[in-house]
Amino acid sequence: MSRIVPVVLSGGAGARLWPLSRQARPKQFLKLMGPDSLIVSTAQRVADTDRFHPPLFVCNVEHRFIVAEQLKAARLDVGDILLEPEACNTAAAIAVAAAYVRDRYGDATMVVLPSDHLIGKPSAFLDAIFAAQRIAESGGIATLGVTPTAPETGYGYIEAEETAGSGTSTYGIRRFCEKPDRETAAAFVASGRYLWNAGIFVMRSSAALAAFDAASPGMTEAAAAAVDGAVRDMDFVRLAPAAYQALPVGSFDKLVMEGVDNGFVLPVDMEWSDIGSWDAVWRHAPHDADDNAIVGDAMLMDSDNCLAYVESGMLAMTGVSGLAVVVTDDSVLVADRRAATSVADVVSVLKKKDRQETQVSKMVYRPWGFYQDIDQGSGFRVKRITVKPGGQLSLQMHHHRSEHWVVVSGTASVVKGEVEQLLYANQSIYIPAGEKHRLENRSADELELIEVQTGDYLEEDDIVRFEDLYGRLDDDDAKSS
């Protein structure tokens, strides 16, 4: 069989995993279960070049630099990174991916993969993908249905046409079901006809586009126009905004799959989870003798069935049961471990209050490296800035703030006005408001410095760019350095 084109969808906000997951760094970019982020693990599962083409990624424009940086750091081959001008759910993302695959690979088989899921049995996953490929190359559209092990209310379900066994059997699809309540989920599992919906689809590009046309006339043309009008920007492909925004908003399974007559589901036991809650993290993490899961620096006494997830600092818990306690450098969550929806409700309330803790963390990633907020008060802000080898901040100016840079390690190439100079460890420079300046790391080692900002306005949108290595002169998605 021919090689498959993996299509990795990197959308969603992961609100139920707040405060670790933020709008600027949702859960697919987190290292929740091991040394790699979920999006890197997804790409690694389809890295066999004998069976797969380099993956195609579809992501939000706001996340483009962190996607590229994580894949590069993992030394993974990438086909392309398509940038959505706005989130339109999975149907639009898959439509433009199918149009792109058709243009680049012809009528190739593609596998659509969510970027933020956990699969404990990768060999079972691959066996199911290759079985689904045979269906796709016969003109069908296949999806993987996960054999349920419990009446989960946090997953969608697929109802098969008959009782679904295991192995390589395939079944017709009766319907896709949204997340049920507990009683309905129990009935689903007891019937033997329902499978968890993993959101994984295998199909030829022609079959996908035909299904889109049948579901929503004109959708294929809009997807093709979004790809034809795309503009290459460094490592990325920016889809044409007007054409993309003309695509209907909705999920692929409900908008398209429920209406096809060539859809099939393959049951598979692959230890799958969408890691959609802190309870799911607890279930898949190692446990101690009291069924506590501990990630980071935490001490638990007289406590059981708890999750302690510590990103910053030290946590002590005593005399509690069934809690999830998550500590980051700017927020702490204490919740009933099983109350996944209540965490999303907290995020919703915080967003209405314009709390920045839902948007970004103190660690903010940029194409040149990253910075971390250390302290902030009236008239001042302190950051720790790390510039990777070869990284260069834009030539810029600030109207309202002055900056004082102190080099901690590495060598800084600094442009201040018309003068360029090198700064070494323990050396510093002052950049007054209104002065053009740029910071660059031309060495082979990381550059680390402390930046102290002072002024009457210290928000990130106080920036005027004159030159930028990363094409951000008119970019509203990266209002920082």
Side-chain angles (χ1 to χ4, degrees):
M1 290 184 286
S2 57
R3 287 198 293 169
I4 301 171
V5 183
V7 176
V8 180
L9 305 183
S10 178
R16 290 178 295 169
L17 288 181
W18 186 86
L20 204 61
S21 177
R22 310 286 175 98
Q23 184 170 314
R25 192 183 63 160
K27 67 172 180 174
Q28 61 264 36
F29 304 120
L30 303 178
K31 299 178 180 180
L32 290 170
M33 294 290 164
D36 297 307
S37 68
L38 294 175
I39 192 170
V40 167
S41 296
T42 300
Q44 288 171 336
R45 284 193 285 270
V46 290
D48 181 354
T49 56
D50 290 334
R51 302 301 299 265
F52 297 98
H53 288 282
L56 170 68
F57 293 81
V58 185
C59 77
N60 188 296
V61 64
E62 181 183 355
H63 301 146
R64 65 195 185 280
F65 293 124
I66 190 169
V67 170
E69 186 62 30
Q70 289 199 354
L71 297 173
K72 182 179 179 181
R75 298 183 179 181
L76 289 166
D77 289 334
V78 177
D80 253 324
I81 302 174
L82 306 186
L83 303 182
E84 299 176 285
E86 62 181 43
C88 288
N89 211 319
T90 56
I94 295 172
V96 295
Y100 179 92
V101 169
R102 179 189 61 185
D103 288 354
R104 181 164 181 177
Y105 299 103
D107 193 17
T109 298
M110 49 192 278
V111 54
V112 176
L113 303 169
S115 62
D116 55 357
H117 292 178
L118 176 71
I119 294 177
K121 295 180 179 179
S123 60
F125 159 79
L126 290 173
D127 288 344
I129 293 299
F130 299 142
Q133 182 182 11
R134 289 189 284 273
I135 296 172
E137 298 198 348
S138 297
I141 299 178
T143 184
L144 303 192
V146 178
T147 306
T149 57
E152 291 287 347
T153 58
Y155 298 157
Y157 285 74
I158 302 170
E159 183 183 7
E161 291 286 359
E162 56 187 289
T163 300
S166 58
T168 58
S169 300
T170 60
Y171 302 87
I173 297 171
R174 180 168 294 174
R175 62 175 177 142
F176 288 81
C177 308
E178 298 298 332
K179 298 171 183 176
D181 58 30
R182 177 67 60 180
E183 183 178 354
T184 303
F188 283 176
V189 175
S191 75
R193 293 195 317 274
Y194 289 81
L195 302 157
W196 290 336
N197 181 8
I200 298 171
F201 301 94
V202 183
M203 55 203 160
R204 283 190 180 274
S205 59
S206 61
L209 294 172
F212 280 116
D213 259 345
S216 180
M219 193 168 183
T220 295
E221 287 75 11
V227 172
D228 292 343
V231 176
R232 184 163 290 280
D233 176 9
M234 298 174 54
D235 296 329
F236 314 104
V237 176
R238 290 179 177 264
L239 297 164
Y244 191 82
Q245 289 158 3
L247 292 166
V249 177
S251 67
F252 179 71
D253 45 10
K254 297 296 287 185
L255 186 65
V256 178
M257 283 296 291
E258 283 196 342
V260 304
D261 56 10
N262 60 338
F264 301 89
V265 60
L266 285 77
V268 56
D269 173 14
M270 55 184 180
E271 292 185 358
W272 169 90
S273 172
D274 72 350
I275 309 296
S277 66
W278 287 116
D279 187 48
V281 174
W282 172 82
R283 289 199 306 270
H284 289 89
H287 288 192
D288 65 14
D290 296 311
D291 267 344
N292 297 306
I294 300 173
V295 180
D297 189 3
M299 179 183 69
L300 277 67
M301 297 176 57
D302 300 324
S303 300
D304 63 86
N305 290 285
C306 290
L307 170 68
Y309 200 111
V310 185
E311 188 180 52
S312 177
M314 183 268 180
L315 170 67
M317 298 168 61
T318 182
V320 295
S321 177
L323 291 183
V325 181
V326 185
V327 182
T328 69
D329 52 11
D330 65 350
S331 302
V332 177
L333 170 73
V334 180
D336 183 321
R337 198 196 71 231
R338 292 147 295 199
T341 56
S342 66
V343 178
D345 293 340
V346 168
V347 173
S348 179
V349 171
L350 291 174
K351 283 184 176 180
K352 291 178 181 177
K353 295 178 179 292
D354 286 330
R355 293 298 303 244
Q356 287 300 301
E357 291 87 349
T358 66
Q359 307 295 316
V360 296
S361 62
K362 287 192 174 183
M363 186 76 76
V364 178
Y365 292 87
R366 294 299 181 211
W368 43 259
F370 58 89
Y371 70 83
Q372 182 176 15
D373 277 308
I374 297 175
D375 196 9
Q376 185 170 4
S378 178
F380 78 94
R381 184 177 184 180
V382 184
K383 295 180 178 179
R384 179 172 65 88
I385 296 176
T386 301
V387 185
K388 65 186 180 182
Q392 179 190 95
L393 282 68
S394 56
L395 180 64
Q396 59 187 260
M397 179 266 287
H398 309 294
H399 290 293
H400 302 284
R401 73 174 184 253
S402 300
E403 296 176 345
H404 190 170
W405 297 341
V406 181
V407 177
V408 176
S409 62
T411 303
S413 300
V414 178
V415 172
K416 177 183 176 183
E418 301 299 322
V419 178
E420 183 173 357
Q421 64 187 99
L422 297 178
L423 296 179
Y424 303 96
N426 299 320
Q427 294 185 326
S428 64
I429 191 170
Y430 173 71
I431 311 291
E435 183 87 81
K436 281 188 181 181
H437 60 280
R438 176 162 57 203
L439 176 65
E440 184 177 358
N441 180 7
R442 298 174 183 167
S443 74
D445 301 314
E446 285 191 342
L447 165 65
E448 185 174 339
L449 64 149
I450 300 298
E451 176 183 272
V452 180
Q453 302 175 0
T454 56
D456 57 3
Y457 184 79
L458 303 174
E459 298 302 318
E460 296 296 347
D461 57 359
D462 178 23
I463 183 171
V464 178
R465 291 192 178 96
F466 302 97
E467 298 174 7
D468 185 66
L469 185 65
Y470 310 105
R472 299 174 298 162
L473 293 181
D474 301 312
D475 190 352
D476 291 329
D477 303 305
K479 291 290 189 183
S480 174
S481 298

